[in-house]
């Protein structure tokens, strides 16, 4: 089986979906079958898409696709433009609960989940993230992102597992000084977690069949080359299928939707290092899924 990824490339002729095989991306618009496809449209009909993409990956491997862009020359956008929903699960790693100062370090009875607005928060790699003007405590969180491939409502874990189309690397950037506020509501997700460009995802989409053991992947995050987070998805209190199933008991998950699955420890405060500022570089890596690099800019 030829390994492949899906990406959205920015080219002089506009955005195009592409299949990544080896060190190259092959724009899908050169094929009859996928001329108008986007990563999002492929996800809408995922089972038949996958079968056809497997054949296309073999053709690319065999040198049968003439248009290709070497990975080093490609400009990547966030792959799924845009999902209907982005769901983010909280309280999912004991180590992070501890550093946040919570005392209940086990698996909570109710999984906290919030929704992020897709078109304004999702960005891809590159100099894409704006440090919000309103924060003095802009912080990193590396998360595995699940991409939904089937409609789910009140799903069992088995149904949820079967609906996972694939994975991406995600960052759940957070303004620590704004997320928790001093009024009776206590929490303000819009200012703390949902401002523009605060949910980078990518750089490519990796189909689930190439990630045989998603519950056992090393996750590392570096800021300006210094390692800040280093954990494994095996520490997740709620597994991916459980998060999808729980979320689907409140909202319908649809093909293309993204689910962020929580972050381990290693935030700025726990290292005693400064928060993020314009110019800083974040590298988020998840074994077998990829490496998402973003550079921060000011919000002018
Ligand atoms: C991402 O950044 C790391 C270091 O911060 C670098 O080693 C790596 O080559 C970069 N990857 C890509 C795809 O640019
Ligand atoms: C996406 C998300 O909400 N991740 C969360 C994991 O859990 C902690 C709280 O325990 C949140 O701060 C993270 O944002």
């Amino acid at each position: 089986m030829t390994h492949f990824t899906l990406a959205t490339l920015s080219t002089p002729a506009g955005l195009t979906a592409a299949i990544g095989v080896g060190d190259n991306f092959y724009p899908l618009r050169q094929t009859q079958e996928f001329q108008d496809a986007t990563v999002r449209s492929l996800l809408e009909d995922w089972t038949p898409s996958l079968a056809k993409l497997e054949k296309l990956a073999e053709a690319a491997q065999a040198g049968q696709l003439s248009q290709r862009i070497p990975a080093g020359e490609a400009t990547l956008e966030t792959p799924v433009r845009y999902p209907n929903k982005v769901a983010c699960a909280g309280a999912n790693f004991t180590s992070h609960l501890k550093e946040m100062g919570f005392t209940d370090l086990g698996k909570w009875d109710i999984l906290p989940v919030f929704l992020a607005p897709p078109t304004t928060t999702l960005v891809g790699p590159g100099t894409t993230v704006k440090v919000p003007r309103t924060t003095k405590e802009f912080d990193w969180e590396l998360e595995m992102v699940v991409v939904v491939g089937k409609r789910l409502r009140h799903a069992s874990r088995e149904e949820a597992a079967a609906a996972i189309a694939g994975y991406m690397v995600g960052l759940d950037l957070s303004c620590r000084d704004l997320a928790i506020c001093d009024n009776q509501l206590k929490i303000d997700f819009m200012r703390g977690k949902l401002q523009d460009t605060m949910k980078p995802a990518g750089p490519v989409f990796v189909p689930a069949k190439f990630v045989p053991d998603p519950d056992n992947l090393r996750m590392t995050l570096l800021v300006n080359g210094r390692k800040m987070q280093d954990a494994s998805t095996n520490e997740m209190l709620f597994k991916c299928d459980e998060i999808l199933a729980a979320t689907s008991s409140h909202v319908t998950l649809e093909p293309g939707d993204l689910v962020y699955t929580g972050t381990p420890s290693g935030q700025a405060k726990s290292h005693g290092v400064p928060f993020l500022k314009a110019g800083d570089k974040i590298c988020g890596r998840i074994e077998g899924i990829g490496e998402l690099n973003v550079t921060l800019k000011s919000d002018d």
Side-chain angles (χ1 to χ4, degrees):
M1 178 67 55
T2 306
H3 184 281
F4 72 88
T5 62
L6 290 174
T8 298
L9 307 188
S10 173
T11 73
L15 293 181
T16 180
I19 188 166
V21 178
D23 290 331
N24 292 293
F25 288 108
Y26 301 83
L28 294 185
R29 62 182 172 218
Q30 69 189 300
T31 67
Q32 195 74 35
E33 194 159 30
F34 293 119
Q35 221 161 51
D36 301 314
T38 61
V39 178
R40 161 85 202 254
S41 73
L42 292 167
L43 286 163
E44 256 150 39
D45 220 0
W46 184 237
T47 305
S49 298
L50 182 61
K52 292 179 199 163
L53 289 164
E54 283 166 357
K55 291 211 180 88
L56 193 64
E58 276 159 33
Q61 181 88 311
Q64 290 162 10
L65 296 183
S66 58
Q67 287 172 38
R68 64 191 164 99
I69 302 174
E73 290 167 27
T75 305
L76 298 172
E77 301 285 334
T78 198
V80 187
R81 287 169 56 98
Y82 284 100
N84 287 339
K85 284 185 291 305
V86 178
C88 305
N92 209 21
F93 281 83
T94 298
S95 59
H96 185 57
L97 290 175
K98 214 175 198 163
E99 74 179 342
M100 300 278 288
F102 292 104
T103 47
D104 181 356
L105 302 179
K107 196 170 165 181
W108 294 3
D109 291 340
I110 295 175
L111 171 72
V113 178
F114 60 89
L115 295 180
T119 57
T120 47
T121 57
L122 287 177
V123 291
T127 307
T128 50
V129 172
K130 291 189 270 190
V131 180
R133 293 182 191 185
T134 45
T135 186
K136 292 194 168 54
E137 299 189 352
F138 198 45
D139 208 355
W140 50 82
E141 290 190 359
L142 174 63
E143 311 209 354
M144 181 158 79
V145 177
V146 174
V147 184
V148 177
K150 278 187 194 140
R151 218 178 155 76
L152 288 178
R153 177 71 173 141
H154 298 304
S156 64
R157 282 186 70 164
E158 292 66 31
E159 289 163 335
I164 296 175
Y167 303 91
M168 299 193 288
V169 178
L171 299 175
D172 173 21
L173 299 171
S174 305
C175 307
R176 301 286 176 216
D177 50 346
L178 305 178
I180 294 174
C181 56
D182 194 17
N183 60 28
Q184 286 194 323
L185 268 175
K186 298 296 181 212
I187 225 152
D188 183 343
F189 276 139
M190 187 177 79
R191 297 192 312 148
K193 287 205 171 257
L194 306 177
Q195 297 198 46
D196 290 358
T197 73
M198 278 171 58
K199 298 289 165 279
V204 296
F205 161 86
V206 182
K209 66 182 311 171
F210 301 122
V211 187
D213 193 4
D215 296 336
N216 195 19
L217 302 175
R218 179 122 186 255
M219 338 170 43
T220 47
L221 177 137
L222 293 86
V223 177
N224 301 325
R226 174 168 169 192
K227 197 181 286 172
M228 297 296 182
Q229 293 190 289
D230 190 358
S232 166
T233 56
N234 69 20
E235 296 165 45
M236 284 168 54
L237 295 168
F238 292 82
K239 301 300 170 197
C240 296
D241 52 358
E242 231 177 332
I243 296 174
L244 264 59
T247 306
S248 82
S249 58
H250 305 292
V251 295
T252 302
L253 286 171
E254 301 165 277
D257 284 355
L258 308 185
V259 181
Y260 283 60
T261 57
T263 197
S265 62
Q267 56 177 86
K269 261 185 190 157
S270 69
H271 289 287
V273 299
F275 288 100
L276 293 164
K277 58 179 188 317
D280 285 346
K281 290 181 192 307
I282 304 176
C283 168
R285 287 187 189 133
I286 303 180
E287 185 186 358
I289 299 179
E291 186 173 72
L292 177 65
N293 281 0
V294 298
T295 302
L296 275 53
K297 56 184 171 182
S298 63
D299 180 17
D300 295 327

